[in-house]
Amino acid sequence: PQAGRHRQELERDLEGDTIVIDVVGQGRAGRLRLVFAHLAELNTVTLPASGNKKARAEVLKSEGYIESVSEVNNDNGFTSLELTLKYYQGSPVIERIKRVSKPGCRVYTGKDDIPTVNKGLGITIISTSKGIMTDRNARKAGVGGEVICYVA
């Protein structure tokens, strides 16, 4: 039932010229979704804010996958994150995001087994005891953790 609901959500969003990419699931209500509007060639995307979402967006910004991250206070009293997407020669910089750890099957890695993406040309986002960071930073810090997603 949930897979069908998700498929309907995805189809509805594709009709509106946006791509919905599930990156991290944190239960039904708090599921983190990054919405990239590359099909419509939009410059900014707004999504509900949380500390984890902001940390993951900051990692994408520091690695050059998105241009900026800012917090916006809505009229209804909630805070949203506004992501400015990045394009290179008309193509989106983010080619793909693959979700690894899911609510039903968490994936953890030790400091010596941290995976690389595209032979080091992409990044792995990892949630560690020292915060959310890339695979390179986790290796430097000597920590492992939960593998959130691969970005290329």
Side-chain angles (χ1 to χ4, degrees), residues 61-115:
K61 178 185 170 200
S62 69
E63 292 295 313
Y65 287 100
I66 59 177
E67 288 202 21
S68 66
V69 179
S70 59
E71 288 190 33
V72 178
N73 290 324
N74 298 336
D75 296 334
N76 57 6
F78 293 103
T79 305
S80 295
L81 288 178
E82 189 172 275
L83 308 179
T84 304
L85 305 177
K86 195 171 190 178
Y87 294 87
Y88 177 74
Q89 295 181 348
S91 298
V93 172
I94 297 176
E95 292 179 359
R96 64 187 164 93
I97 294 180
K98 181 180 180 189
R99 180 178 171 181
V100 178
S101 192
K102 301 175 184 177
C105 183
R106 300 289 182 190
V107 177
Y108 297 91
T109 184
K111 64 177 182 161
D112 299 325
D113 301 322
I114 297 173

Short mmCIF file of all heavy atoms in Angstrom, two decimals, residues 61-115:
data_model
loop_
_atom_site.label_atom_id
_atom_site.label_comp_id
_atom_site.label_asym_id
_atom_site.label_seq_id
_atom_site.Cartn_x
_atom_site.Cartn_y
_atom_site.Cartn_z
N LYS A 61 25.89 21.70 -0.12
CA LYS A 61 26.41 23.03 -0.47
C LYS A 61 27.93 23.06 -0.38
O LYS A 61 28.61 23.55 -1.29
CB LYS A 61 25.81 24.08 0.47
CG LYS A 61 26.32 25.47 0.20
CD LYS A 61 25.81 26.46 1.22
CE LYS A 61 26.53 27.77 1.06
NZ LYS A 61 26.42 28.59 2.26
N SER A 62 28.50 22.52 0.69
CA SER A 62 29.95 22.56 0.86
C SER A 62 30.68 21.74 -0.21
O SER A 62 31.81 22.04 -0.56
CB SER A 62 30.34 22.07 2.25
OG SER A 62 30.10 20.69 2.37
N GLU A 63 30.00 20.73 -0.75
CA GLU A 63 30.60 19.92 -1.80
C GLU A 63 30.31 20.46 -3.20
O GLU A 63 30.74 19.88 -4.19
CB GLU A 63 30.11 18.47 -1.69
CG GLU A 63 30.62 17.77 -0.46
CD GLU A 63 32.13 17.59 -0.46
OE1 GLU A 63 32.68 17.16 -1.49
OE2 GLU A 63 32.75 17.89 0.57
N GLY A 64 29.56 21.56 -3.30
CA GLY A 64 29.33 22.20 -4.59
C GLY A 64 28.17 21.65 -5.39
O GLY A 64 28.06 21.92 -6.58
N TYR A 65 27.27 20.88 -4.77
CA TYR A 65 26.13 20.32 -5.49
C TYR A 65 24.95 21.28 -5.55
O TYR A 65 24.14 21.19 -6.46
CB TYR A 65 25.70 19.00 -4.87
CG TYR A 65 26.66 17.87 -5.18
CD1 TYR A 65 27.61 17.47 -4.25
CD2 TYR A 65 26.64 17.25 -6.41
CE1 TYR A 65 28.49 16.44 -4.54
CE2 TYR A 65 27.52 16.22 -6.71
CZ TYR A 65 28.44 15.83 -5.77
OH TYR A 65 29.32 14.83 -6.07
N ILE A 66 24.82 22.17 -4.58
CA ILE A 66 23.79 23.22 -4.63
C ILE A 66 24.48 24.54 -4.30
O ILE A 66 25.55 24.56 -3.69
CB ILE A 66 22.61 22.94 -3.66
CG1 ILE A 66 23.08 22.82 -2.22
CG2 ILE A 66 21.83 21.72 -4.09
CD1 ILE A 66 21.94 22.64 -1.23
N GLU A 67 23.86 25.65 -4.72
CA GLU A 67 24.51 26.94 -4.54
C GLU A 67 24.37 27.50 -3.14
O GLU A 67 25.31 28.01 -2.58
CB GLU A 67 23.97 27.94 -5.56
CG GLU A 67 24.48 27.64 -6.94
CD GLU A 67 24.42 28.84 -7.85
OE1 GLU A 67 24.39 29.98 -7.36
OE2 GLU A 67 24.43 28.63 -9.07
N SER A 68 23.15 27.44 -2.58
CA SER A 68 22.96 28.03 -1.26
C SER A 68 21.82 27.36 -0.52
O SER A 68 20.95 26.72 -1.12
CB SER A 68 22.71 29.53 -1.36
OG SER A 68 21.47 29.77 -1.99
N VAL A 69 21.85 27.53 0.81
CA VAL A 69 20.81 27.04 1.70
C VAL A 69 20.43 28.19 2.62
O VAL A 69 21.31 28.82 3.20
CB VAL A 69 21.32 25.86 2.57
CG1 VAL A 69 20.24 25.38 3.51
CG2 VAL A 69 21.84 24.75 1.71
N SER A 70 19.14 28.49 2.71
CA SER A 70 18.72 29.55 3.63
C SER A 70 17.42 29.15 4.31
O SER A 70 16.62 28.39 3.76
CB SER A 70 18.54 30.87 2.88
OG SER A 70 17.57 30.73 1.86
N GLU A 71 17.25 29.64 5.53
CA GLU A 71 16.02 29.39 6.28
C GLU A 71 15.06 30.54 6.05
O GLU A 71 15.45 31.70 6.10
CB GLU A 71 16.31 29.24 7.77
CG GLU A 71 17.01 27.95 8.10
CD GLU A 71 17.07 27.70 9.59
OE1 GLU A 71 16.13 28.10 10.31
OE2 GLU A 71 18.06 27.11 10.02
N VAL A 72 13.80 30.22 5.80
CA VAL A 72 12.77 31.21 5.53
C VAL A 72 11.63 30.99 6.51
O VAL A 72 11.15 29.87 6.67
CB VAL A 72 12.24 31.08 4.07
CG1 VAL A 72 11.15 32.08 3.80
CG2 VAL A 72 13.38 31.22 3.08
N ASN A 73 11.20 32.06 7.18
CA ASN A 73 10.05 31.96 8.08
C ASN A 73 8.78 32.17 7.27
O ASN A 73 8.62 33.18 6.59
CB ASN A 73 10.14 33.00 9.20
CG ASN A 73 11.24 32.67 10.17
OD1 ASN A 73 11.48 31.51 10.47
ND2 ASN A 73 11.93 33.69 10.66
N ASN A 74 7.87 31.20 7.35
CA ASN A 74 6.60 31.28 6.63
C ASN A 74 5.59 32.11 7.40
O ASN A 74 5.75 32.38 8.59
CB ASN A 74 6.03 29.88 6.41
CG ASN A 74 6.94 29.02 5.57
OD1 ASN A 74 7.75 29.53 4.81
ND2 ASN A 74 6.82 27.73 5.71
N ASP A 75 4.52 32.50 6.72
CA ASP A 75 3.44 33.26 7.35
C ASP A 75 2.74 32.45 8.43
O ASP A 75 2.21 33.01 9.38
CB ASP A 75 2.42 33.71 6.31
CG ASP A 75 3.03 34.66 5.29
OD1 ASP A 75 4.02 35.34 5.65
OD2 ASP A 75 2.52 34.73 4.16
N ASN A 76 2.72 31.12 8.28
CA ASN A 76 2.02 30.27 9.24
C ASN A 76 2.86 29.93 10.47
O ASN A 76 2.45 29.13 11.29
CB ASN A 76 1.54 28.98 8.56
CG ASN A 76 2.68 28.21 7.94
OD1 ASN A 76 3.84 28.56 8.10
ND2 ASN A 76 2.35 27.15 7.22
N GLY A 77 4.04 30.52 10.61
CA GLY A 77 4.87 30.32 11.78
C GLY A 77 5.88 29.19 11.65
O GLY A 77 6.67 28.97 12.57
N PHE A 78 5.88 28.46 10.55
CA PHE A 78 6.83 27.37 10.34
C PHE A 78 8.04 27.88 9.58
O PHE A 78 7.97 28.86 8.86
CB PHE A 78 6.18 26.22 9.58
CG PHE A 78 5.11 25.51 10.35
CD1 PHE A 78 3.77 25.74 10.09
CD2 PHE A 78 5.44 24.64 11.37
CE1 PHE A 78 2.78 25.10 10.80
CE2 PHE A 78 4.46 23.99 12.09
CZ PHE A 78 3.13 24.22 11.82
N THR A 79 9.14 27.18 9.75
CA THR A 79 10.37 27.53 9.04
C THR A 79 10.56 26.56 7.88
O THR A 79 10.33 25.37 8.01
CB THR A 79 11.58 27.44 9.99
OG1 THR A 79 11.32 28.27 11.13
CG2 THR A 79 12.85 27.90 9.32
N SER A 80 11.02 27.10 6.76
CA SER A 80 11.31 26.29 5.58
C SER A 80 12.75 26.49 5.17
O SER A 80 13.37 27.50 5.48
CB SER A 80 10.41 26.69 4.41
OG SER A 80 9.07 26.43 4.70
N LEU A 81 13.28 25.51 4.47
CA LEU A 81 14.60 25.63 3.87
C LEU A 81 14.44 25.97 2.40
O LEU A 81 13.62 25.36 1.71
CB LEU A 81 15.38 24.31 3.97
CG LEU A 81 15.90 23.92 5.33
CD1 LEU A 81 16.60 22.56 5.23
CD2 LEU A 81 16.85 24.94 5.88
N GLU A 82 15.18 26.94 1.95
CA GLU A 82 15.16 27.30 0.53
C GLU A 82 16.52 26.93 -0.06
O GLU A 82 17.54 27.46 0.35
CB GLU A 82 14.88 28.79 0.35
CG GLU A 82 14.64 29.17 -1.09
CD GLU A 82 14.18 30.60 -1.21
OE1 GLU A 82 12.97 30.83 -1.08
OE2 GLU A 82 15.04 31.47 -1.42
N LEU A 83 16.50 26.00 -1.01
CA LEU A 83 17.72 25.54 -1.65
C LEU A 83 17.82 26.16 -3.02
O LEU A 83 16.88 26.11 -3.80
CB LEU A 83 17.72 24.01 -1.80
CG LEU A 83 17.43 23.18 -0.56
CD1 LEU A 83 17.43 21.70 -0.92
CD2 LEU A 83 18.41 23.46 0.53
N THR A 84 18.97 26.76 -3.31
CA THR A 84 19.22 27.29 -4.65
C THR A 84 19.99 26.24 -5.42
O THR A 84 21.10 25.86 -5.03
CB THR A 84 20.01 28.61 -4.58
OG1 THR A 84 19.31 29.53 -3.76
CG2 THR A 84 20.19 29.20 -5.97
N LEU A 85 19.38 25.74 -6.48
CA LEU A 85 19.96 24.65 -7.24
C LEU A 85 21.08 25.14 -8.14
O LEU A 85 21.15 26.31 -8.49
CB LEU A 85 18.88 23.96 -8.07
CG LEU A 85 17.68 23.46 -7.28
CD1 LEU A 85 16.66 22.86 -8.23
CD2 LEU A 85 18.10 22.46 -6.24
N LYS A 86 21.97 24.23 -8.49
CA LYS A 86 23.13 24.59 -9.29
C LYS A 86 23.08 23.87 -10.63
O LYS A 86 22.78 22.67 -10.69
CB LYS A 86 24.39 24.20 -8.52
CG LYS A 86 25.65 24.81 -9.01
CD LYS A 86 26.76 24.50 -8.02
CE LYS A 86 27.99 25.30 -8.34
NZ LYS A 86 29.04 25.04 -7.35
N TYR A 87 23.40 24.60 -11.68
CA TYR A 87 23.44 24.05 -13.03
C TYR A 87 24.81 24.32 -13.64
O TYR A 87 25.44 25.33 -13.33
CB TYR A 87 22.36 24.68 -13.92
CG TYR A 87 20.96 24.35 -13.48
CD1 TYR A 87 20.30 25.11 -12.52
CD2 TYR A 87 20.31 23.25 -14.01
CE1 TYR A 87 19.02 24.79 -12.11
CE2 TYR A 87 19.02 22.92 -13.60
CZ TYR A 87 18.39 23.70 -12.66
OH TYR A 87 17.13 23.37 -12.26
N TYR A 88 25.27 23.42 -14.50
CA TYR A 88 26.52 23.63 -15.22
C TYR A 88 26.24 23.40 -16.70
O TYR A 88 25.83 22.30 -17.09
CB TYR A 88 27.60 22.65 -14.71
CG TYR A 88 28.91 22.77 -15.46
CD1 TYR A 88 29.74 23.86 -15.24
CD2 TYR A 88 29.30 21.82 -16.39
CE1 TYR A 88 30.92 23.99 -15.92
CE2 TYR A 88 30.48 21.93 -17.07
CZ TYR A 88 31.29 23.02 -16.83
OH TYR A 88 32.48 23.15 -17.52
N GLN A 89 26.42 24.42 -17.50
CA GLN A 89 26.15 24.39 -18.94
C GLN A 89 24.74 23.87 -19.22
O GLN A 89 24.52 23.04 -20.10
CB GLN A 89 27.19 23.54 -19.67
CG GLN A 89 28.58 24.13 -19.60
CD GLN A 89 29.61 23.30 -20.34
OE1 GLN A 89 29.35 22.16 -20.73
NE2 GLN A 89 30.78 23.88 -20.54
N GLY A 90 23.78 24.33 -18.43
CA GLY A 90 22.38 23.98 -18.64
C GLY A 90 21.94 22.65 -18.06
O GLY A 90 20.76 22.34 -18.06
N SER A 91 22.87 21.86 -17.54
CA SER A 91 22.53 20.56 -16.95
C SER A 91 22.63 20.64 -15.43
O SER A 91 23.51 21.33 -14.90
CB SER A 91 23.48 19.47 -17.43
OG SER A 91 23.36 19.32 -18.82
N PRO A 92 21.77 19.92 -14.70
CA PRO A 92 21.86 19.94 -13.24
C PRO A 92 23.16 19.32 -12.76
O PRO A 92 23.64 18.34 -13.34
CB PRO A 92 20.66 19.11 -12.79
CG PRO A 92 20.18 18.38 -13.98
CD PRO A 92 20.67 19.10 -15.19
N VAL A 93 23.75 19.90 -11.72
CA VAL A 93 24.99 19.38 -11.17
C VAL A 93 24.74 18.03 -10.51
O VAL A 93 25.55 17.12 -10.63
CB VAL A 93 25.60 20.38 -10.17
CG1 VAL A 93 26.79 19.80 -9.44
CG2 VAL A 93 26.02 21.65 -10.90
N ILE A 94 23.62 17.87 -9.83
CA ILE A 94 23.28 16.58 -9.22
C ILE A 94 22.66 15.70 -10.30
O ILE A 94 21.57 15.95 -10.78
CB ILE A 94 22.29 16.75 -8.05
CG1 ILE A 94 22.93 17.57 -6.94
CG2 ILE A 94 21.85 15.38 -7.52
CD1 ILE A 94 22.00 17.85 -5.79
N GLU A 95 23.40 14.66 -10.67
CA GLU A 95 22.89 13.74 -11.69
C GLU A 95 22.01 12.67 -11.06
O GLU A 95 21.04 12.23 -11.64
CB GLU A 95 24.05 13.08 -12.43
CG GLU A 95 24.82 14.06 -13.30
CD GLU A 95 25.99 13.40 -14.00
OE1 GLU A 95 26.22 12.19 -13.80
OE2 GLU A 95 26.67 14.11 -14.75
N ARG A 96 22.41 12.20 -9.86
CA ARG A 96 21.60 11.19 -9.19
C ARG A 96 21.87 11.20 -7.69
O ARG A 96 22.96 11.55 -7.25
CB ARG A 96 21.85 9.80 -9.76
CG ARG A 96 23.23 9.28 -9.58
CD ARG A 96 23.44 7.97 -10.32
NE ARG A 96 24.85 7.70 -10.45
CZ ARG A 96 25.54 6.97 -9.59
NH1 ARG A 96 24.96 6.44 -8.55
NH2 ARG A 96 26.82 6.77 -9.77
N ILE A 97 20.85 10.81 -6.95
CA ILE A 97 20.96 10.58 -5.52
C ILE A 97 20.36 9.21 -5.26
O ILE A 97 19.24 8.95 -5.67
CB ILE A 97 20.19 11.64 -4.70
CG1 ILE A 97 20.83 13.00 -4.86
CG2 ILE A 97 20.16 11.25 -3.23
CD1 ILE A 97 20.13 14.09 -4.08
N LYS A 98 21.13 8.36 -4.60
CA LYS A 98 20.62 7.03 -4.28
C LYS A 98 20.52 6.90 -2.77
O LYS A 98 21.52 7.03 -2.06
CB LYS A 98 21.52 5.94 -4.83
CG LYS A 98 20.99 4.56 -4.52
CD LYS A 98 21.87 3.48 -5.08
CE LYS A 98 21.26 2.13 -4.73
NZ LYS A 98 22.15 1.04 -5.03
N ARG A 99 19.33 6.66 -2.30
CA ARG A 99 19.09 6.46 -0.87
C ARG A 99 19.62 5.08 -0.48
O ARG A 99 19.36 4.10 -1.16
CB ARG A 99 17.60 6.56 -0.63
CG ARG A 99 17.18 6.37 0.77
CD ARG A 99 15.69 6.55 0.83
NE ARG A 99 15.21 6.17 2.13
CZ ARG A 99 13.94 6.21 2.48
NH1 ARG A 99 13.04 6.59 1.63
NH2 ARG A 99 13.58 5.86 3.68
N VAL A 100 20.38 5.02 0.61
CA VAL A 100 20.96 3.76 1.04
C VAL A 100 20.26 3.25 2.29
O VAL A 100 19.62 2.20 2.28
CB VAL A 100 22.48 3.90 1.30
CG1 VAL A 100 23.07 2.59 1.78
CG2 VAL A 100 23.18 4.37 0.03
N SER A 101 20.35 3.97 3.38
CA SER A 101 19.74 3.55 4.64
C SER A 101 18.27 3.94 4.63
O SER A 101 17.91 5.06 4.28
CB SER A 101 20.45 4.24 5.80
OG SER A 101 20.08 3.67 7.02
N LYS A 102 17.42 2.99 4.99
CA LYS A 102 15.97 3.21 4.97
C LYS A 102 15.40 2.85 6.33
O LYS A 102 16.04 2.14 7.10
CB LYS A 102 15.33 2.34 3.88
CG LYS A 102 15.87 2.65 2.50
CD LYS A 102 15.34 1.70 1.47
CE LYS A 102 16.01 1.99 0.13
NZ LYS A 102 15.59 1.08 -0.90
N PRO A 103 14.20 3.30 6.64
CA PRO A 103 13.63 2.99 7.95
C PRO A 103 13.55 1.50 8.25
O PRO A 103 13.78 1.08 9.38
CB PRO A 103 12.23 3.59 7.90
CG PRO A 103 12.31 4.64 6.87
CD PRO A 103 13.33 4.17 5.87
N GLY A 104 13.28 0.68 7.26
CA GLY A 104 13.16 -0.76 7.47
C GLY A 104 14.48 -1.49 7.42
O GLY A 104 14.57 -2.65 7.81
N CYS A 105 15.52 -0.84 6.93
CA CYS A 105 16.82 -1.50 6.78
C CYS A 105 17.93 -0.45 6.87
O CYS A 105 18.36 0.11 5.87
CB CYS A 105 16.89 -2.24 5.45
SG CYS A 105 18.42 -3.15 5.23
N ARG A 106 18.36 -0.18 8.08
CA ARG A 106 19.45 0.78 8.28
C ARG A 106 20.77 0.16 7.84
O ARG A 106 21.02 -1.03 8.06
CB ARG A 106 19.54 1.18 9.76
CG ARG A 106 18.29 1.82 10.30
CD ARG A 106 18.10 3.20 9.74
NE ARG A 106 16.90 3.82 10.33
CZ ARG A 106 16.39 4.93 9.89
NH1 ARG A 106 16.93 5.56 8.87
NH2 ARG A 106 15.32 5.44 10.45
N VAL A 107 21.62 0.98 7.23
CA VAL A 107 22.91 0.50 6.74
C VAL A 107 24.00 1.28 7.46
O VAL A 107 24.04 2.52 7.39
CB VAL A 107 23.04 0.69 5.21
CG1 VAL A 107 24.41 0.26 4.72
CG2 VAL A 107 21.94 -0.07 4.49
N TYR A 108 24.87 0.55 8.15
CA TYR A 108 25.96 1.17 8.90
C TYR A 108 27.29 0.71 8.32
O TYR A 108 27.38 -0.37 7.74
CB TYR A 108 25.88 0.80 10.38
CG TYR A 108 24.64 1.32 11.05
CD1 TYR A 108 23.49 0.54 11.09
CD2 TYR A 108 24.61 2.59 11.59
CE1 TYR A 108 22.33 1.02 11.68
CE2 TYR A 108 23.46 3.08 12.19
CZ TYR A 108 22.33 2.30 12.23
OH TYR A 108 21.19 2.78 12.81
N THR A 109 28.32 1.53 8.50
CA THR A 109 29.64 1.17 8.02
C THR A 109 30.68 1.58 9.06
O THR A 109 30.51 2.58 9.77
CB THR A 109 29.94 1.85 6.67
OG1 THR A 109 31.20 1.40 6.20
CG2 THR A 109 29.97 3.36 6.79
N GLY A 110 31.73 0.79 9.13
CA GLY A 110 32.85 1.12 10.01
C GLY A 110 33.77 2.11 9.34
O GLY A 110 33.67 2.37 8.13
N LYS A 111 34.71 2.64 10.10
CA LYS A 111 35.61 3.67 9.54
C LYS A 111 36.49 3.14 8.42
O LYS A 111 36.90 3.89 7.55
CB LYS A 111 36.47 4.27 10.65
CG LYS A 111 37.40 3.27 11.29
CD LYS A 111 38.28 3.91 12.32
CE LYS A 111 39.22 2.86 12.87
NZ LYS A 111 40.35 3.43 13.52
N ASP A 112 36.75 1.84 8.42
CA ASP A 112 37.62 1.26 7.39
C ASP A 112 36.86 0.79 6.16
O ASP A 112 37.47 0.43 5.15
CB ASP A 112 38.41 0.09 7.97
CG ASP A 112 39.31 0.53 9.12
OD1 ASP A 112 39.83 1.66 9.06
OD2 ASP A 112 39.47 -0.26 10.09
N ASP A 113 35.54 0.78 6.21
CA ASP A 113 34.74 0.24 5.11
C ASP A 113 33.83 1.29 4.47
O ASP A 113 32.83 0.93 3.83
CB ASP A 113 33.87 -0.92 5.61
CG ASP A 113 34.72 -2.04 6.18
OD1 ASP A 113 35.79 -2.30 5.61
OD2 ASP A 113 34.31 -2.63 7.20
N ILE A 114 34.14 2.56 4.61
CA ILE A 114 33.28 3.62 4.07
C ILE A 114 33.31 3.57 2.54
O ILE A 114 34.38 3.60 1.93
CB ILE A 114 33.73 5.01 4.58
CG1 ILE A 114 33.58 5.06 6.10
CG2 ILE A 114 32.93 6.12 3.91
CD1 ILE A 114 34.16 6.31 6.73
N PRO A 115 32.13 3.46 1.90
CA PRO A 115 32.10 3.32 0.44
C PRO A 115 32.42 4.63 -0.29
O PRO A 115 32.19 5.72 0.24
CB PRO A 115 30.67 2.90 0.15
CG PRO A 115 29.88 3.38 1.31
CD PRO A 115 30.80 3.39 2.49
#
